[in-house]
Amino acid sequence: MSIGNQDWQALLTRIRDCRLCAEDLPHGPRPVVQAHPEARLAIVGQAPGRAVHQSGVPWQDPSGDRLREWLHMDAGRFYNPRQVALIPMGFCYPGKGASGDLPPMAVCAPTWHNALFQALPELQTVLLVGQYAQRHYLEQAHGRNLTETVKAWQRVPAPWFPLPHPSPRNRLWLRRNPWFEVDVLPALRKRVEGLWS
Ligand code: SF4
């Protein structure tokens, strides 16, 4: 289902004005999202980190650098909302915990994602980056954990495509799972390139 331009703009404004978690966000609400009804690719990540909270630019951090490298995608396309929608599981920075950033605010995706995805009728591929996106969107288990789910990417039905998080904290995971760069990344790049060819 698609929505009109006015409705679309109103939805984005409502998201950017959202204060639902104001009392639970240590740095306050600052929803970071990029989308447009013409987008063919959506990237569902985790939540903004501190740098993105400050800049307001999604994936403008080392994780984003690695993700663009995985996709062989330059910043011009990545930041064009008519091509790529950037939709985290939580739109606001949740703050830091004992071992890295806290999980995305649990209320965010159930509050906003359905309306957003209904407004993106051209989507053909949705990258599920990290465990939170995979747990939320993959109804059927494709493995016991993220590693098994990513390894089983060929059995995951379109439009979904599971990926590990590209955070520098995951360097060890990448070293331990060399099949990801050898088998999965070439297929991912082919799938993404095909969206605009
Ligand atoms: S995390 Fe989501 S639901 Fe919570 S304040 Fe931000 S936009 Fe609203």
Side-chain angles (χ1 to χ4, degrees), residues 108-180:
C108 195
T111 301
W112 292 115
H113 276 208
N114 275 354
L116 251 181
F117 277 104
Q118 281 183 11
L120 299 172
E122 304 296 328
L123 280 185
Q124 294 175 28
T125 293
V126 180
L127 307 183
L128 299 174
V129 181
Q131 57 171 324
Y132 296 104
Q134 288 164 25
R135 278 193 208 140
H136 187 79
Y137 278 109
L138 297 182
E139 287 166 16
Q140 179 198 340
H142 293 276
R144 281 172 303 167
N145 52 36
L146 177 139
T147 302
E148 288 192 6
T149 301
V150 174
K151 210 167 194 173
W153 65 274
Q154 291 177 91
R155 287 192 276 116
V156 175
W160 316 113
F161 197 116
L163 292 175
H165 200 282
S167 162
R169 296 174 66 92
N170 276 347
R171 269 193 293 258
L172 186 59
W173 187 94
L174 291 170
R175 273 208 299 275
R176 283 180 177 159
N177 296 283
W179 50 266
F180 175 70

Side-chain angles (χ1 to χ4, degrees), residues 15 18-22 25 29 31 90-92 105 107-108 111-112:
I15 291 174
C18 180
R19 297 293 178 268
L20 201 55
C21 314
L25 290 167
F91 297 159
C92 299
M105 300 307 289
V107 72
C108 195
T111 301
W112 292 115

Side-chain angles (χ1 to χ4, degrees):
M1 185 181 91
S2 62
I3 64 175
N5 188 49
Q6 267 188 334
D7 294 341
W8 168 247
Q9 295 295 344
L11 173 61
L12 273 190
T13 300
R14 285 209 320 278
I15 291 174
R16 288 177 177 143
D17 289 345
C18 180
R19 297 293 178 268
L20 201 55
C21 314
E23 290 183 8
D24 301 316
L25 290 167
H27 302 274
R30 187 179 193 187
V32 179
V33 59
Q34 167 180 306
H36 186 279
E38 292 174 20
R40 295 184 184 178
L41 174 68
I43 300 173
V44 181
Q46 188 166 318
R50 190 175 179 82
V52 171
H53 174 74
Q54 286 169 344
S55 70
V57 183
W59 293 103
Q60 193 184 50
D61 55 15
S63 296
D65 292 340
R66 191 192 296 269
L67 179 60
R68 285 182 286 276
E69 208 280 313
W70 282 357
L71 299 172
H72 277 180
M73 186 179 290
D74 62 25
R77 170 163 283 174
F78 189 85
Y79 286 116
N80 183 346
R82 291 175 182 272
Q83 296 186 307
V84 180
L86 303 173
I87 303 173
M89 288 299 294
F91 297 159
C92 299
Y93 173 45
K96 269 218 175 317
S99 56
D101 286 350
L102 290 167
M105 300 307 289
V107 72
C108 195
T111 301
W112 292 115
H113 276 208
N114 275 354
L116 251 181
F117 277 104
Q118 281 183 11
L120 299 172
E122 304 296 328
L123 280 185
Q124 294 175 28
T125 293
V126 180
L127 307 183
L128 299 174
V129 181
Q131 57 171 324
Y132 296 104
Q134 288 164 25
R135 278 193 208 140
H136 187 79
Y137 278 109
L138 297 182
E139 287 166 16
Q140 179 198 340
H142 293 276
R144 281 172 303 167
N145 52 36
L146 177 139
T147 302
E148 288 192 6
T149 301
V150 174
K151 210 167 194 173
W153 65 274
Q154 291 177 91
R155 287 192 276 116
V156 175
W160 316 113
F161 197 116
L163 292 175
H165 200 282
S167 162
R169 296 174 66 92
N170 276 347
R171 269 193 293 258
L172 186 59
W173 187 94
L174 291 170
R175 273 208 299 275
R176 283 180 177 159
N177 296 283
W179 50 266
F180 175 70
E181 295 198 0
V182 173
D183 299 329
V184 183
L185 285 188
L188 171 70
R189 288 165 184 153
K190 199 170 167 195
R191 170 98 62 106
V192 169
E193 278 165 21
L195 295 174
W196 293 284
S197 59

